[in-house]
Amino acid sequence: MKKTLFAAALFAATAVGSVVPAFAAPVSYKIDPAHTAVVFIVNHVGFSNVIGRFDTVGGDVTFDKDAVEKSVVNVTIDTTSVDTNHAKRDEHLRSPDFFNAKEFPKMTFKSTKIEKTGDKTGKLHGDLTMLGVTKPVVLDVTFNKDGVSPASKMETAGFSARGTVKRTEFGMKYGAPAIGDDIQLLIEVEAVKS
């Protein structure tokens, strides 16, 4: 009788195990610079909003679809690659008045926590280091899609992020507040499985 009960329990456990979906392991990706954009918007003395971007961005993402809070993001931005489609302004932006790109050629973001807020949304907390100053930043993130890209034929994951930072908190005080302190960030990322 004991053998029969043991066999039945073993069968039940095996049957249940066979219908429970397997959990996906975390996947490591490298940011694809050709399909990634880090864009900023800043108010210019109330007349307009200047839009710029950084042309050189790299980094990696470890993404766990089943435990999003365990995912990790590391991004490096080349400050010398700032581009507002105006050469003289870009030269000024690279100067000590703004990004001081000669002394601080890199800006970095390292995630510290991820909160899931919906099926495909979350809040990405991290440390942004700019001009040698590190401050916490929170970005609203949307997971767009993962799968094989028909263009590259590679495993790809896509994300969108939005947020705001105050540049004066990093010591970038030139022209404030006439030149806006609040910098809107629009980030679009495609990352390829590494």
Side-chain angles (χ1 to χ4, degrees):
M1 180 67 176
K2 286 183 179 179
K3 287 183 179 179
T4 304
L5 288 173
F6 176 75
L10 183 62
F11 173 77
T14 304
V16 170
S18 67
V19 296
V20 173
F23 290 103
V27 180
S28 295
Y29 296 90
K30 285 287 183 191
I31 288 175
D32 175 6
H35 298 100
T36 294
V38 176
V39 176
F40 60 88
I41 302 174
V42 57
N43 185 270
H44 184 251
V45 291
F47 291 110
S48 67
N49 291 298
V50 172
I51 300 173
R53 60 172 286 154
F54 294 95
D55 294 331
T56 305
V57 180
D60 53 76
V61 178
T62 302
F63 183 56
D64 190 331
K65 285 176 72 172
D66 296 314
V68 173
E69 66 280 359
K70 294 181 181 177
S71 301
V72 178
V73 179
N74 291 295
V75 178
T76 299
I77 297 169
D78 184 346
T79 58
T80 65
S81 73
V82 65
D83 181 0
T84 63
N85 197 34
H86 189 277
K88 189 174 181 180
R89 179 172 54 219
D90 294 343
E91 185 179 341
H92 190 198
L93 288 171
R94 294 183 190 104
S95 78
D97 285 341
F98 290 99
F99 289 103
N100 196 2
K102 187 173 182 179
E103 187 175 349
F104 302 102
K106 303 293 181 189
M107 185 184 343
T108 61
F109 176 87
K110 297 180 184 297
S111 64
T112 55
K113 181 174 75 170
I114 298 175
E115 299 175 77
K116 187 173 181 178
T117 58
D119 288 343
K120 291 195 167 191
T121 60
K123 290 195 176 291
L124 174 61
H125 298 251
D127 289 330
L128 176 65
T129 300
M130 181 171 68
L131 294 170
V133 177
T134 301
K135 295 283 184 181
V137 170
V138 181
L139 301 173
D140 292 313
V141 178
T142 299
F143 165 56
N144 297 323
K145 181 180 178 180
D146 65 345
V148 177
S149 167
S152 67
K153 312 300 183 196
M154 301 178 74
E155 288 283 345
T156 302
F159 307 88
S160 299
R162 302 291 184 267
T164 303
V165 298
K166 285 188 176 294
R167 65 185 179 96
T168 56
E169 291 183 351
F170 295 86
M172 188 187 290
K173 297 179 180 180
Y174 181 89
I179 299 173
D181 187 12
D182 290 341
I183 310 299
Q184 295 178 59
L185 300 175
L186 290 78
I187 302 165
E188 297 292 331
V189 175
E190 285 188 28
V192 177
K193 187 175 179 181
S194 55

